[in-house]
Amino acid sequence: GIDGFLTKPIFRNELIEKLSRALTRNRSDAETAEETQNNRVPAENFSGMRVLLAEDNELNREIVIELLNSCGIKLTCAQNGQQALDLVREQPANAFDLILMDIHMPEMNGYEATKAIRRLNDPTRAQVPILAMTADAFEEDRQKALRSGMNGHLTKPVEIDKLFKALDELLS
């Protein structure tokens, strides 16, 4: 019942490759190729974009950093919602093109951080697009993210094509 394995020491690139394969293992090659082709947004579309990543889990953070840095996206990281809010307040008003916001974080969760960002007096800061990245995958979770002021919802583990598609929709 094992579909793959990692040998120690585990290298980041190998981990990302194995996770990507595991996410698509239940689909036929033709189905996966067709879906990828239909949903592919060129990575170069996002080169130079400035993203704030609010993620408390180190492994999740490293995976997203690797995926986005390889596309030329400039990342700033926060380990909880309070740090994300502080960075939005302290950086110049147009410092971030987008925020990728985990939901379950210590000190201040993603919903609370989003609500606080939306209440900021500066409209540029208050209106920065926020995309939930969470393991909470039900429709009610998506609705809760939207009600808190987020602009979209992605489930973890993050699939790069879905992330790029969401970025393209939010920033177009």
Side-chain angles (χ1 to χ4, degrees):
I2 296 174
D3 294 313
F5 65 93
L6 292 168
T7 57
K8 291 183 180 179
I10 297 172
F11 296 100
R12 185 183 323 166
N13 289 343
E14 182 183 10
L15 176 61
I16 291 169
E17 177 187 341
K18 298 286 184 172
L19 288 172
S20 177
R21 285 185 189 170
L23 293 172
T24 59
R25 73 174 177 261
N26 293 328
R27 300 179 187 163
S28 71
D29 289 342
E31 182 182 43
T32 302
E34 180 180 340
E35 182 178 303
T36 299
Q37 186 64 31
N38 292 339
N39 293 321
R40 180 144 301 186
V41 175
E44 59 269 9
N45 288 5
F46 309 108
S47 183
M49 176 190 281
R50 299 154 306 176
V51 173
L52 172 58
L53 171 63
E55 171 64 63
D56 65 316
N57 181 287
E58 186 176 351
L59 178 59
N60 289 342
R61 203 169 44 246
E62 288 295 322
I63 291 170
V64 173
I65 288 169
E66 183 71 25
L67 292 172
L68 297 184
N69 277 342
S70 68
C71 304
I73 294 174
K74 297 174 181 163
L75 279 163
T76 302
C77 294
Q79 294 183 18
N80 61 58
Q82 183 62 56
Q83 285 181 3
L85 174 60
D86 292 344
L87 282 165
V88 171
R89 282 184 186 146
E90 295 165 3
Q91 297 295 315
N94 60 354
F96 304 112
D97 298 308
L98 178 89
I99 300 171
L100 295 174
M101 183 76 73
D102 185 22
I103 299 299
H104 302 288
M105 295 182 287
E107 290 191 47
M108 180 184 281
N109 70 39
Y111 300 128
E112 294 166 341
T114 297
K115 289 175 186 175
I117 290 168
R118 295 298 184 231
R119 288 191 302 264
L120 293 173
N121 289 332
D122 181 344
T124 302
R125 287 180 172 91
Q127 294 172 11
V128 64
I130 301 174
L131 184 59
M133 280 191 344
T134 178
D136 298 342
F138 293 110
E139 177 60 23
E140 61 209 41
D141 300 316
R142 189 179 79 77
Q143 291 299 322
K144 187 173 181 181
L146 296 175
R147 281 193 309 273
S148 76
M150 294 183 186
N151 302 87
H153 180 271
L154 286 176
T155 57
K156 291 179 187 175
V158 175
E159 295 179 46
I160 193 70
D161 287 337
K162 288 183 180 179
L163 174 60
F164 285 168
K165 187 175 180 184
L167 293 177
D168 191 51
E169 290 170 0
L170 282 174
L171 301 171
S172 295

